[in-house]
Amino acid sequence: MTSYTEGKQNPFLGLAFVAAFVGSTLGCPSRCECSAQTKAVVCHRKRMSTIPDGIPTETRILDLSKNKMTMINPDDFIAFPGLEELDLSGNVISYVEPGAFNTLFNMHSLSLKSNRIKLIPLGVFTALTNLTRLDISDNKIVILLDYMFQDLHNLKVLEVGDNDLVYITPSAFSGLLSLETLTLERCNLTFVPTEALSHLHNLISLHLRYLTISTLHPYSFKKLFRLRHLDIDNWPSLDRVPANTLHGLNLTTLFITNTNLSSFPYQALKHLPYLTHLNLSYNRIRHIEGGMLLELVRLRELHLVGAQLFTIEPYAFQGLRDLKVLNVSHNRLDTLEKGVFQSPEALEVLLIDHNPLVCDCRLMWILQKKHSIFFGDSQPECSTPEGIRGRPFKEFKETLLSYYVTCTKPKIRENKTQTYTADEGQPAMLRCSADGTPRPTVSWVSPRGRKLTGRSHGRMMLHNNGTLEIKSAEMQDSGVYVCLASNTAGNDTLMASLAVKSLGSLYANRTQYYTDPSNTTANGTASVSLGLDLKTILVSTAMGCFTFLGVVLFCFLLLFVWSRGKGKHKNNIDVEYVPRSKSNGTNVDSAEGQAGPRRFNMKMM
Ligand SMILES: *[C@@H]1O[C@H](CO)[C@@H](O)[C@H](O)[C@H]1NC(C)=O
Ligand SMILES: *[C@@H]1O[C@H](CO)[C@@H](O)[C@H](O)[C@H]1NC(C)=O
Ligand SMILES: *[C@@H]1O[C@H](CO)[C@@H](O)[C@H](O)[C@H]1NC(C)=O
Ligand SMILES: *[C@@H]1O[C@H](CO)[C@@H](O)[C@H](O)[C@H]1NC(C)=O
Ligand SMILES: *[C@@H]1O[C@H](CO)[C@@H](O)[C@H](O)[C@H]1NC(C)=O
Ligand SMILES: *[C@@H]1O[C@H](CO)[C@@H](O)[C@H](O)[C@H]1NC(C)=O
Ligand SMILES: *[C@@H]1O[C@H](CO)[C@@H](O)[C@H](O)[C@H]1NC(C)=O
Ligand SMILES: *[C@@H]1O[C@H](CO)[C@@H](O)[C@H](O)[C@H]1NC(C)=O
Ligand SMILES: *[C@@H]1O[C@H](CO)[C@@H](O)[C@H](O)[C@H]1NC(C)=O
Ligand SMILES: *[C@@H]1O[C@H](CO)[C@@H](O)[C@H](O)[C@H]1NC(C)=O
Ligand SMILES: *[C@@H]1O[C@H](CO)[C@@H](O)[C@H](O)[C@H]1NC(C)=O
Ligand SMILES: *[C@@H]1O[C@H](CO)[C@@H](O)[C@H](O)[C@H]1NC(C)=O
C-alpha cells in the first residue's frame, strides 16, 4: 500500500551488470573481472589481502568486497582519481587511515560495510565532496566523532546501523546538508541523539530500528524541518510516547511498531495534520477512544495489526474523512461499528480477519458493503453466532443476514424492583444481569445520581455479571440504586433499594438515606443534596414502586423545609412511620416487616 522505498535500491547493483570478462588492452588484475565499457573491475571473493596490481588507472567502479584486507592506507587509491564507486564491504578492515580517500573527488558511492572498524578518525572522508552514498554499517564503531562527516555536503544516504554505537556526539552530523535518508539500527544507543540529528535540515526519512531506547523525551526531534517519514521500529522496551515527542515535525508517514506501547499515543500525534500513513502494528494497544484523533485530517491508512485491540469506540475516527485503509487484523475486536468512522463510504480496504467477530446488527453495514470493500486475501469470519461460525464474509447471502445478523434489546433477568437489607459493615450485593445481543453493558446510578460504570468506585465494585458489590456497607449507602443495561438495540432498567441497618448505635435500627457511598472523601455524616434527592424521590414515586418510601421522604423533606423556615437548625431529624401492610408488596425491609413504628434519622449538614 505504501511506497516509501527511497534509498532502498542497492547502490552497488551496477556492479552486477559487469559480467563480461573483457581482456582490456590496459590489462586487468589476475583473478579479477574487468569491463572496458563500464570501466569496472570486479575482484569479489578472491581472498585478497591487499589491493591487487594491474588495476587500470581510469577505473570507475572497483569491487573489492568479501576479501581479506585488514587496513586502508593513504596511498592505496591514489592511482585511480576517476573512481566513482568503491566497494570494500565484507573484509576484515579494522582501521582506515585519515586521508585514505584523499584524491577521490569523483566518488559517488563508498561501502565499508561489514568490517571490523572500531573508530573512524577525523579526516577519513575529507575530499569526498561528491559522495552521495556511504555505508559504514555492520562494524564495531562505538562512537561517532564531532565533524567526522563535515565535508560530505552531497551525501544523500548514510547507513550506520549494526554497530556498537553508544554515543553520537552533538556535532557528528554537522555538514551533512544534503542527507535525505538516515538509518540508525541495531545500536546500543540509550537515547535519541537529538542534538546530532538537529544538523540534518534536509533529512526526509529517518529509520530508527532495533534500538534498546526505553524512553522518548518531549522535543526529541529538533530542526528536522523536512522530515516526512519517521520509523520507530523494534524498540522492545519503549512503553510510552509522551505528548510533544514529535513536536516540530511535519510527518506524512509514521511507524511506531514492535514496541511495548500499551496505549494509543493520541497526544504525541497532535500537530501532525499532514500525516497520511500511520502504522502502530505489533504493540500492546488495547483501545482506541472516541474523538481523540480529530487533528489527523489527512490520514489515509491506519495499520494496527497484531496488537491487543479490544475496542474501537464510536467516533474513534472522527475527523478522518479520508481514511481509506484500515488494517486491524490479528486483534481481539468483536465488532467494528459504523459510528466509528467519519465517512464509512470512503473506506476501500478493511482488514479485520483474525478477530473474534460477533456477527450481529453492528456488523451489518460491513456485510452489506462486502462487494465494495476489499477484505484482503484472508477473509474475515464470524466467531458467533453458532449458525454462521467460521463462514467467510464473502459467502453471506442476504437471507442469512436477516436471519442471523440481528440484535435484541437488553432484558434484565431480575424483577424490576428489588429490595435489599444489609447490616452495617457487611457486604451488600445488588444484582442486575441482562440478556441481549450484543451483550449489554451494565451500569448503575447511585442514590446521589453518580454513574458507576468502571470496575471500582471506592468501596463499590461493579462485577462483569452486572452485580454491584458494596464491600462494607455503611449507613449512608442506603437508598435507591438504578441499574441500566444497554446495547445498540436499546436499554432496560431496574431499581434496587438498599437499607443498611446500624449495629450498636444509640438510635436503634436507624437508617440513613440519600448519600453517595462512592464518595470516599465524605465522612460518616450524610450530606444532603436536595436537587438530586428530589429527582430520585420523584422517579421512585412516579414508578409507583416505592410509594411509601416516597411518602416518608416527602414528609421528611417537608420537615426539613419547615425546620429551616422556622430558623431552627436541627442537626438530626427523626421520622417515625408505620409501614404499610405486606400485601402491598412494596415494603422496603421485609426482614422486620412485622415491627411497629419505625424511625428514620437524618443528620443534617
Ligand atoms: C563533482 O561532481 C560534479 C558534477 O556532478 C563535477 O563537476 C565535479 O568536477 C566533481 N568533483 C568535484 C570535486 O566537485
Ligand atoms: C551492545 O549490545 C550488545 C548486545 O546487547 C552487546 O553484546 C555489546 O557488548 C554492546 N556493546 C557495547 C559497546 O556496549
Ligand atoms: C512491557 O511492559 C510490561 C508491562 O508494563 C512489562 O511487564 C514488560 O516487562 C515490558 N517488556 C519489556 C521488554 O520491557
Ligand atoms: C508540511 O508538509 C506538507 C507536505 O508534506 C506541506 O504541504 C506543508 O506546507 C508542510 N507544512 C509546514 C508547516 O512545513
Ligand atoms: C507496518 O509495520 C509492520 C512492522 O514494522 C510492517 O511489517 C508492515 O509492513 C507495515 N505496514 C505497512 C502498510 O507498511
Ligand atoms: C496491512 O494491510 C496492507 C494491505 O493494505 C498489507 O500490505 C500489510 O502488510 C498489512 N499488515 C501490516 C502489518 O501493515
Ligand atoms: C419476581 O417476582 C415474582 C412475584 O412478584 C416472584 O414469584 C419471583 O420469584 C420473582 N423473581 C425473582 C428473580 O426475584
Ligand atoms: C457476580 O460475580 C461476582 C464476582 O465474580 C460473584 O461474587 C457474584 O455471585 C456474581 N453474581 C451473580 C448473580 O452471578
Ligand atoms: C433507552 O432507550 C430509550 C428508547 O428505548 C431511549 O430513548 C433512551 O435514550 C435510552 N437511554 C439510554 C440511557 O440509553
Ligand atoms: C433492630 O433490628 C433487629 C432485626 O433486624 C432486631 O432484632 C432488633 O431488636 C432491633 N433493635 C431495636 C433496638 O429495635
Ligand atoms: C464528596 O463529598 C464532599 C463533601 O460532602 C463534596 O465536597 C465532594 O464534592 C463530593 N465529591 C463527589 C465526587 O461527589
Ligand atoms: C472527617 O472525620 C475526621 C475524623 O473522623 C475529621 O478529622 C475530619 O475533619 C472530617 N472531615 C469532614 C469533611 O468532615
Side-chain angles (χ1 to χ4, degrees):
M1 274 300 140
T2 50
S3 58
Y4 18 90
T5 49
E6 65 275 314
K8 287 282 109 191
Q9 313 94 314
N10 186 350
F12 307 105
L13 204 64
L15 298 178
F17 298 107
V18 187
F21 184 109
V22 181
S24 163
T25 45
L26 293 160
C28 183
S30 56
R31 296 193 284 161
C32 296
E33 294 170 6
C34 303
S35 158
Q37 271 160 328
T38 54
K39 300 205 173 75
V41 176
V42 179
C43 312
H44 175 74
R45 213 188 277 277
K46 294 287 184 278
R47 300 169 168 271
M48 293 169 175
S49 56
T50 54
I51 293 163
D53 292 332
I55 299 175
T57 26
E58 71 272 26
T59 300
R60 294 223 301 259
I61 299 171
L62 178 56
D63 180 358
L64 296 169
S65 59
K66 296 262 165 87
N67 282 294
K68 298 189 161 178
M69 277 174 278
T70 55
M71 207 166 147
I72 304 295
N73 297 308
D75 298 337
D76 282 353
F77 299 100
I78 204 158
F80 320 110
L83 217 49
E84 288 170 11
E85 288 186 29
L86 176 58
D87 187 355
L88 292 163
S89 63
N91 281 279
V92 285
I93 299 165
S94 57
Y95 193 64
V96 184
E97 286 263 358
F101 309 112
N102 246 350
T103 50
L104 306 178
F105 297 108
N106 291 310
M107 279 261 278
H108 292 311
S109 174
L110 171 63
S111 176
L112 289 164
K113 186 183 173 171
S114 304
N115 279 287
R116 300 194 180 160
I117 303 167
K118 285 205 172 66
L119 184 77
I120 298 185
L122 283 179
V124 167
F125 302 123
T126 45
L128 300 180
T129 46
N130 269 2
L131 202 66
T132 55
R133 191 174 275 274
L134 174 63
D135 190 348
I136 54 171
S137 61
D138 192 15
N139 278 287
K140 309 230 173 296
I141 301 168
V142 176
I143 182 170
L144 294 183
L145 299 177
D146 275 337
Y147 307 111
M148 63 182 288
F149 305 113
Q150 183 67 44
D151 298 319
L152 306 180
H153 307 304
N154 285 309
L155 199 67
K156 287 199 159 43
V157 181
L158 175 63
E159 305 275 350
V160 289
D162 286 277
N163 276 295
D164 285 347
L165 268 182
V166 291
Y167 189 56
I168 299 180
T169 53
S171 293
F173 296 139
S174 170
L176 293 174
L177 297 175
S178 301
L179 199 67
E180 289 176 357
T181 303
L182 175 62
T183 305
L184 271 174
E185 59 182 12
R186 295 190 173 83
C187 293
N188 296 28
L189 292 173
T190 51
F191 55 89
V192 176
T194 305
E195 281 306 315
L197 293 173
S198 71
H199 292 273
L200 303 173
H201 302 309
N202 286 308
L203 197 66
I204 294 171
S205 297
L206 176 58
H207 306 284
L208 302 169
R209 302 190 190 117
Y210 297 93
L211 298 177
T212 47
I213 299 174
S214 60
T215 36
L216 270 171
H217 297 289
Y219 311 104
S220 282
F221 303 96
K222 288 182 189 159
K223 299 186 187 165
L224 295 171
F225 307 114
R226 301 195 54 205
L227 196 71
R228 295 292 176 266
H229 312 298
L230 176 61
D231 177 5
I232 291 174
D233 180 40
N234 270 291
W235 295 22
S237 42
L238 181 76
D239 51 17
R240 226 165 62 82
V241 182
N244 289 327
T245 298
L246 308 173
H247 190 271
L249 294 180
N250 181 12
L251 300 175
T252 59
T253 306
L254 174 62
F255 277 42
I256 304 178
T257 50
N258 293 293
T259 73
N260 208 13
L261 201 65
S262 59
S263 57
F264 203 102
Y266 309 106
Q267 299 306 322
L269 298 179
K270 291 204 160 154
H271 320 296
L272 291 177
Y274 286 91
L275 201 67
T276 57
H277 293 74
L278 177 60
N279 189 345
L280 295 171
S281 297
Y282 310 114
N283 292 305
R284 301 192 303 126
I285 296 173
R286 299 165 66 89
H287 303 289
I288 306 180
E289 289 167 36
M292 298 292 282
L293 300 172
L294 300 172
E295 279 92 347
L296 303 183
V297 288
R298 291 179 182 80
L299 198 70
R300 275 192 276 126
E301 296 195 11
L302 174 60
H303 301 269
L304 212 163
V305 175
Q308 297 174 14
L309 208 52
F310 265 106
T311 45
I312 301 181
E313 287 181 7
Y315 307 111
F317 302 143
Q318 182 82 359
L320 280 54
R321 50 190 86 246
D322 286 336
L323 193 66
K324 290 191 168 52
V325 178
L326 179 65
N327 191 353
V328 286
S329 40
H330 295 269
N331 277 296
R332 301 186 188 171
L333 294 170
D334 62 357
T335 196
L336 182 67
E337 292 180 53
K338 194 176 186 178
V340 159
F341 297 91
Q342 163 95 40
S343 40
E345 62 284 352
L347 202 63
E348 289 168 7
V349 178
L350 173 62
L351 288 96
I352 195 173
D353 53 292
H354 292 90
N355 279 288
L357 296 175
V358 174
C359 291
D360 56 38
C361 64
R362 294 169 300 170
L363 281 184
M364 192 66 157
W365 73 279
I366 297 179
L367 287 160
Q368 283 172 337
K369 278 176 68 119
K370 63 181 186 287
H371 300 298
S372 56
I373 296 184
F374 175 67
F375 290 122
D377 301 328
S378 184
Q379 279 284 316
E381 297 171 355
C382 302
S383 70
T384 49
E386 196 65 52
I388 47 175
R389 172 176 299 167
R391 195 184 288 245
F393 273 22
K394 70 173 169 214
E395 287 179 15
F396 274 83
K397 302 255 159 32
E398 286 304 319
T399 48
L400 221 52
L401 288 183
S402 52
Y403 185 74
Y404 286 107
V405 187
T406 55
C407 289
T408 53
K409 275 175 71 169
K411 175 99 184 62
I412 293 175
R413 283 182 218 136
E414 285 80 16
N415 283 343
K416 288 289 170 272
T417 59
Q418 300 280 312
T419 55
Y420 295 94
T421 54
D423 290 331
E424 197 178 13
Q426 294 300 304
M429 306 277 265
L430 312 186
R431 286 186 304 276
C432 181
S433 50
D435 298 314
T437 319
R439 208 180 145 214
T441 54
V442 172
S443 61
W444 284 86
V445 179
S446 77
R448 286 189 64 195
R450 202 163 155 217
K451 204 161 185 213
L452 311 167
T453 46
R455 280 188 65 75
S456 183
H457 297 266
R459 284 177 294 112
M460 295 194 172
M461 173 102 170
L462 180 51
H463 292 290
N464 281 335
N465 56 17
T467 299
L468 181 70
E469 179 179 359
I470 301 171
K471 287 194 183 119
S472 160
E474 289 177 8
M475 299 298 287
Q476 71 266 22
D477 294 350
S478 300
V480 178
Y481 291 75
V482 178
C483 170
L484 175 73
S486 60
N487 68 13
T488 40
N491 54 53
D492 194 10
T493 57
L494 165 154
M495 310 260 272
S497 84
L498 172 68
V500 179
K501 284 178 297 168
S502 155
L503 300 174
S505 155
L506 278 176
Y507 303 95
N509 292 346
R510 134 192 107 128
T511 311
Q512 283 184 328
Y513 280 93
Y514 306 114
T515 60
D516 190 348
S518 59
N519 185 343
T520 48
T521 63
N523 269 349
T525 45
S527 42
V528 177
S529 155
L530 261 181
L532 278 170
D533 294 345
L534 250 176
K535 221 164 144 190
T536 315
I537 291 160
L538 287 175
V539 166
S540 39
T541 314
M543 292 290 290
C545 302
F546 295 92
T547 342
F548 101 91
L549 190 64
V551 169
V552 168
L553 291 167
F554 192 64
C555 286
F556 140 70
L557 255 174
L558 282 178
L559 268 172
F560 173 71
V561 172
W562 171 76
S563 72
R564 283 279 161 113
K566 286 195 76 176
K568 216 167 102 188
H569 196 84
K570 275 185 81 170
N571 217 31
N572 291 304
I573 293 175
D574 287 340
V575 183
E576 226 174 57
Y577 68 92
V578 183
R580 291 189 181 190
S581 78
K582 250 185 145 179
S583 61
N584 208 328
T586 54
N587 52 320
V588 107
D589 192 348
S590 55
E592 42 174 355
Q594 73 277 53
R598 273 184 252 167
R599 275 179 150 191
F600 274 94
N601 172 272
M602 193 81 218
K603 265 192 180 164
M604 295 282 119
M605 286 174 294

